Structure formats: C-alpha cells, structure tokens
C-alpha cells in the first residue's frame, strides 16, 4: 500500500502578520549536514477527520530521551495538532539507506491496539519543515477461511526534494509489513533519499493543492422555482453552443455564471418595484383631495417605524451580523493575499484575531440601531452584542470538548488555550464592542424616521426568503464541506469572495421583495421578518449538511457525529446572523427610501 501525501503567546497571536511568518523563506534554510527534524503529530480513523489522537497513543516505540514539543500557535492547538520530535536522525542532503529507530516488542495489549487501529483505517501524520507526510498504520490481508490477518508497517521510506538550501517537497512510502503476533519483536526502520528539484520555495505547497478537485463542479441540479426556466434555457444554450464537451473548469465558471444571472434577475425585480410600483403608490397617496388615504398612510407610517419587540436582541444580532460580514470579507482577502492555507491553523488564528479586531463594528451598528429606535437600555444591548455569539459558540464548544476529553482526543482544547481565547475576548473584543456601542449611540443614533393572504404571512416569507440565497452558494458550500471533512486544502478564495458578494446581493434583494410584499399586506412587523427571512438561509445549509453527512461521508461514532454537527451548528449560527443582518440593513434602507417623502404625524 502506498499512502497518499498531504499537505509571550498572546503577543504573537495578536500580530496579523504572523500568518505568513510560518512559510517565510528565510526560516526554512539549511546548511549541508544540518539536522532536519521529523515531527510526529497525530493518528486517527481516516473516515472521521476530527477524531484524532496523540501519535504515541498507539504503542509505537520511541528512542530514549526527552522529546521536544512544538507549540505552533493558537490556531494549531485549536486544530488538534501536537507536534513531538521523533528524535530520528535526518541530516540535510545526507542519504540514509536504512536507519534503525527502535525495537517494538509485541504483547497482547499492543497487538490488540494495533489491530483495532488497522481495522478502523487509522492514518498517521508527520511533518518535515512544515510539510506534511501521511500514511496508514498498517493493512489487513485476507487469508484462508476469509479471516483477516493484520500487518504493521515497520519501514518508512522518506523522499525529500530540495532546491539549493531549502526543502521543497516530502513524500512518505511505507512498507516492510510484518504480521502482528504476540511475543514477536519488530525492528522499526527508516530510509531517507534527497532529490534535487527546480521547483521554487514559493511554489512548494502547490503539490498539496488538489487542482482537479477544486476546478470540478459536478452536474448538480441547482434550480429553484422562480428561475428554473431561465436557468434551464441558459444551460441548454451554453451546452449546445459552447459546452458540447464541458471541462471541469468550464462547469466551475458556469456555476458562477448561474448565480450571476440570479443577481441580475433579482436586482431587476427590485428596480421594477422602486421605479414603477412605488411611483404609482406615491401618486395615489399624493392626491391632496384624498384625505382618508393620506390619514391612513400617516398612521400606517407610524406603525411601520414603531420600535420592534426585543429591540436589544435585534440590535445585538444585527450588529453581530455586520461584524461577521466584515470578518468574512477580511479573512478571504487575507487568504487571497497571504496564502493562509500554507500554515497549520492559520485560518483559525486569522478568524479569532480578526473577530476580536472587528468587534468595534458590531458595537457601532447595534448601538446606533438601538438609539435610532428610541431604546434606552444600551448597556444590555452592548452586553448582548459582545457576548451573544461567542458565548453561544463557547457553549457548543464546551459540549464538544467534554466529549473529546472523554475520548482522549487531540481535539480537546487545553485549559491554557481556553484562557488565551478568553483573554483575547475580555481585553480586545469586549472593550472594542463597548467603544463601538458608545460611538454608535452618540454619533449615529438620532431618530430620523421618514414619514408614508397566506403566502404573505411573516412565517412563510421568513422560510421562503432563504431559498434563493442558499441556491446561490450551495455549490461552493459543497466544496467547502468536502475540503474540511476530507483532508483537502481549500485555496480558491477568489471564487469564495465572488460567491460571498453574490450571496450578499441576493440576500438584500430577496429581503427587500419580501418586505415590500409584507408592507403591501398592511403588516408593519417587518423588522424581525426581514431578519429571519435572510437568516433562514442557515436552515437550508443545515439541512444540506444532513444530506451531505448521509450521502457523502463514511463518518461513524458518537465522537465524529458530535463534532460534525457541532461545527456545522456553529457555522450555521454565524451564517444565519450574518445573512439576517445583511437582510435587515437592506430592508431598513429600502423602507426609509419609500417613506422618506411622507411627513410623519406627531402624536
């Protein structure tokens, strides 16, 4: 079997430029004969990506002495990594035909552990110069009477490609499969071969990027009732004229084109409402001889701008959603510029640091919204804004961490890491949210309200409003899911940025249309309806995640199921708040636009 290849503290965390430091060229240079460290990281069942354990949780033998451990940053710890020096002797550009590691004496307990690991397709991960190597622990072979016999790989053949004084690529091949028998002693060995290459250091991670995978867009049915006919016609034309034999890359671009056509359709619909329908409404209500209509319109306007119920909560979720919108944009841009995928845990670190630094936005938006609606309990609004989303995620994470501790998995977050995260929230995120709330309350909080069937029920509009936004992202969502849960490296952040912008535009357009229909039905409860209409996108994402789990994965066991749905729940929570805030803010601008020419009547 040939395994496949894969790709103080607080101050370091708070430096945004630290993301690129891991892969900086000057930190990865060697002289002839310099020691090159082989780090062992983790093992776990291949079908359960989050169920990982310390490398030495399996009874591998190890050389005598105290092995050094490497702390690679907050994101690396949260990602379940624990690098330990294997103490195997490897020197730069020095070949080793066959080196001895240690002798492994097999007893009943060790044989049972290795057999269970091989039966569950346990894989192992190693690192050389921040480049991953991975392979399987062993293999099972069928013998007489269809009985499986288990074999442990005892030899690691490592090929290292170099360019000048830098390591470019590493590859691991395992062989020397020996049967697991009680009382037997196995010699664990390794070999190292150095091969020169012309690949530059800047391109050394390209081999770990699965280009065919991320340029593939499978033939999925991606049509919904409003634009089904338009998409069918467009697809037929493109298939006949351009894509008679479509390549994977063409299908990728076609999915983006599909979503772009949705944007054109919805923006055209919103423009029609603003330019045609509202013009007729204004003409009707502007008649000076129709006093009854004028009085009704003024009264209706007061209802439309009546402060919503649970104002503090609405302000908090809208402010948090505005922050998450900027957070996603910022991280995508950092990923495009700085290639965050090259560092273990860099994406996680980027999210945490950027979340803390963008907390001012959530406070500013929530404080302004609360004040514009005549709210007085701004302290409660500020506390909800600063704590609602992170504490909800902490609650879910606490449950998952308890399960991870019970299983003894590396996914368990150490107490020290929890303290670091709490310190970032308490001394960076919370003060910025407080400052933003005060600024928003005083600078953008002056009230300035302008003055003018079943399928229109708020619940129906809320549920239906998420269909089209979900339709605009679910193809890219498939590849994000596949990357995260199947050991792939997601790197096409340019496409992600484009899809995210399409999601924002579609969400705003759909919510505006729903709000207009709601107001036409003389229902003034548009604030929460506009929020939930956009936030319902997360419901469809969660339903899709259930389908993905059942059809696309081979995950099993309480541990992996808990982590799969726990992480997905946090993703959907953040996505729902983000979309809800975008939808509410878009609807708020729309409502103020259509009523601005009508004078408000004072009580």
């Amino acid at each position: 079997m040939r395994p496949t290849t894969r790709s103080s503290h607080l101050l370091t965390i708070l430096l945004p430029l630290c993301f690129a430091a891991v892969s900086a060229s000057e930190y990865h240079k060697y002289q002839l004969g310099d020691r090159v460290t082989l780090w062992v990281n983790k093992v776990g069942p291949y079908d359960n990506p989050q169920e990982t354990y310390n490398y030495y949780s399996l009874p591998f033998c190890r050389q005598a002495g105290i092995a050094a451990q490497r702390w690679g940053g907050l994101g690396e710890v949260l990602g379940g990594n624990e690098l330990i020096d294997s103490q195997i002797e490897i020197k730069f550009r020095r070949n080793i035909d066959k080196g001895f590691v240690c002798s492994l004496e097999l007893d009943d307990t060790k044989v049972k552990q290795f057999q269970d690991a091989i039966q569950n397709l346990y894989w192992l991960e190693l690192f050389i110069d921040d480049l991953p190597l991975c392979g399987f622990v062993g293999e099972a072979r069928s013998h007489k009477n269809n009985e499986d016999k288990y074999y442990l790989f005892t030899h690691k053949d490592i090929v290292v490609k170099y360019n000048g004084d830098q390591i470019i690529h590493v590859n691991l091949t395992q062989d020397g499969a020996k049967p697991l028998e009680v009382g037997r002693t196995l010699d664990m060995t390794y070999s190292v071969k150095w091969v020169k290459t012309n690949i530059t250091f800047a391109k050394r991670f390209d081999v770990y990027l699965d280009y065919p995978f991320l340029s593939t867009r499978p033939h999925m049915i991606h049509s919904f009732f409003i634009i089904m006919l338009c998409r069918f016609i467009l697809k037929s034309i493109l298939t006949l004229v351009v894509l008679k034999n479509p390549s994977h890359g063409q299908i990728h671009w076609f999915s983006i084109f599909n979503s772009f056509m949705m944007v054109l359709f919805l923006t055209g619909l919103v423009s029609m409402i603003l330019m045609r329908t509202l013009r007729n409404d204004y003409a009707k209500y502007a008649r000076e001889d129709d006093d009854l209509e004028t009085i009704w319109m003024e009264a209706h306007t007061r209802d439309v701008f009546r402060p919503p119920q649970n104002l503090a909560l609405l302000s908090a979720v809208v402010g948090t959603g505005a922050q998450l919108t900027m957070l996603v944009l910022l991280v995508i841009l950092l990923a495009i510029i700085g290639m965050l995928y090259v560092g273990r845990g860099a994406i996680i670190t980027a999210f945490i640091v950027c979340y803390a630094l963008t907390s001012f936005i959530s406070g500013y938006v929530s404080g302004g919204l609360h004040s514009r609606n005549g709210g007085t309990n701004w302290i409660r609004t500020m506390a909800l804004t600063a704590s609602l989303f992170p504490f909800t995620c902490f609650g879910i994470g606490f449950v998952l961490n308890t399960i991870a501790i019970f299983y003894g998995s590396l996914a368990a977050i150490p107490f020290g890491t929890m303290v670091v995260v709490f310190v970032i929230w308490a001394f960076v995120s919370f003060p910025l949210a407080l400052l933003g709330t005060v600024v928003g309350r005083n600078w953008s909080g002056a009230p300035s309200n302008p003055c003018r069937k079943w399928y229109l029920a708020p619940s129906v509009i809320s549920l239906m409003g998420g269909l089209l936004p979900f339709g605009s992202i679910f193809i890219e969502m498939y590849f994000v899911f596949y990357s995260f849960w199947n050991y792939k490296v997601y790197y096409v952040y340019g496409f992600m940025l484009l899809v995210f912008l399409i999601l924002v535009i579609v969400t705003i357009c759909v919510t505006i249309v729903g709000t207009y229909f709601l107001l036409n039905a003389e229902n003034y409860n548009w604030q929460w309806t506009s929020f939930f209409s956009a936030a319902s996108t997360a419901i469809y994402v969660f339903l899709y995640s259930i389908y993905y789990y059942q059809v696309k994965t081979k995950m099993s066991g309480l541990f992996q199921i808990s982590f799969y749905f726990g992480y997905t729940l946090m993703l959907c929570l953040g996505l729902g708040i983000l979309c809800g805030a975008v939808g509410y803010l878009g609807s708020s601008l729309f409502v103020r636009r259509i009523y601005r020419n009508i004078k408000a009547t004072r009580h």
Side-chain angles (χ1 to χ4, degrees), residues 312-322 366 385 388 528 531 577-578 580-581:
L313 180 59
L314 178 63
S315 301
V317 293
V318 170
T320 302
S366 64
T385 303
L388 181 62
W528 277 110
F531 181 87
I577 294 176
L578 186 156

Side-chain angles (χ1 to χ4, degrees), residues 224-227 231 259 261-271 273 455-456 458 460-473 501-519 526 529-537 540 579-580 582-588 590:
F224 291 92
F225 63 98
I226 294 181
I227 54 172
R231 290 185 166 193
S259 298
M261 293 305 297
M262 181 194 296
V263 171
L264 292 181
F265 172 79
L266 290 172
T267 52
L269 181 60
V270 173
S271 299
I273 292 176
Y455 57 87
L456 294 179
V460 176
I461 293 177
S462 296
L463 286 176
M464 300 300 291
L467 274 174
L468 287 176
F470 170 71
S472 69
I473 65 169
L501 294 177
I502 290 174
L503 170 66
V504 171
I505 296 173
V506 171
T507 299
I508 292 174
C509 293
V510 169
T511 311
I512 287 176
V513 172
T515 300
Y516 176 74
F517 289 154
L518 196 68
L519 295 178
W526 63 271
T529 302
S530 64
F531 181 87
F532 285 123
S533 175
S536 64
T537 304
Y540 297 104
C579 291
V582 168
Y584 172 83
L585 294 174
S587 293
S588 179
F590 170 74

Side-chain angles (χ1 to χ4, degrees), residues 326-348:
M326 295 304 300
L327 169 67
V328 172
L329 279 173
L330 183 58
V331 172
I332 291 177
L333 291 175
L334 285 175
I336 293 174
I337 297 172
M339 296 190 303
L340 296 183
Y341 57 82
V342 302
R344 293 181 305 276
I347 287 287
I348 300 176

Side-chain angles (χ1 to χ4, degrees), residues 219-411:
H219 296 282
M220 298 178 176
I221 299 176
H222 184 213
S223 302
F224 291 92
F225 63 98
I226 294 181
I227 54 172
M228 185 183 299
L229 181 60
C230 297
R231 290 185 166 193
F232 176 76
I233 295 173
L234 286 170
K235 185 173 182 178
S236 300
I237 293 174
L238 287 175
T239 303
L240 292 174
V241 178
V242 181
L243 305 178
K244 292 182 179 180
N245 295 298
S247 67
H248 295 320
Q250 287 173 318
I251 296 174
H252 185 171
W253 282 104
F254 177 66
S255 67
I256 300 296
F257 178 75
N258 238 1
S259 298
F260 180 71
M261 293 305 297
M262 181 194 296
V263 171
L264 292 181
F265 172 79
L266 290 172
T267 52
L269 181 60
V270 173
S271 299
M272 183 186 68
I273 292 176
L274 288 173
M275 297 177 62
R276 184 176 179 179
T277 309
L278 289 177
R279 184 179 301 171
N280 295 334
D281 290 345
Y282 284 146
K284 181 176 67 173
Y285 294 126
R287 295 172 188 166
E288 296 181 355
D289 58 342
D290 196 346
D291 294 336
L292 181 61
E293 290 289 345
T294 302
I295 293 173
W296 175 87
M297 187 60 179
E298 290 177 349
H300 185 60
T301 300
R302 290 195 300 270
D303 285 337
V304 167
F305 292 101
R306 179 184 300 175
Q309 294 180 344
N310 300 313
L311 175 60
L313 180 59
L314 178 63
S315 301
V317 293
V318 170
T320 302
Q323 177 190 1
L324 293 178
T325 302
M326 295 304 300
L327 169 67
V328 172
L329 279 173
L330 183 58
V331 172
I332 291 177
L333 291 175
L334 285 175
I336 293 174
I337 297 172
M339 296 190 303
L340 296 183
Y341 57 82
V342 302
R344 293 181 305 276
I347 287 287
I348 300 176
T349 305
F351 264 105
I352 293 176
V353 173
C354 292
Y355 179 86
L357 296 178
T358 55
S359 297
F360 177 86
I361 297 174
S362 63
Y364 181 84
V365 174
S366 64
L369 176 60
H370 184 265
S371 183
R372 284 193 300 272
N373 283 274
T376 57
N377 196 354
W378 68 272
I379 296 179
R380 181 168 179 262
T381 300
M382 181 273 297
L384 280 173
T385 303
S387 61
L388 181 62
F389 180 70
F391 277 38
T392 302
C393 291
F394 174 80
I396 298 173
F398 179 79
V399 175
L400 298 181
N401 207 54
T402 302
I403 296 174
I405 293 174
F406 177 77
Y407 276 81
S409 170
L410 284 179

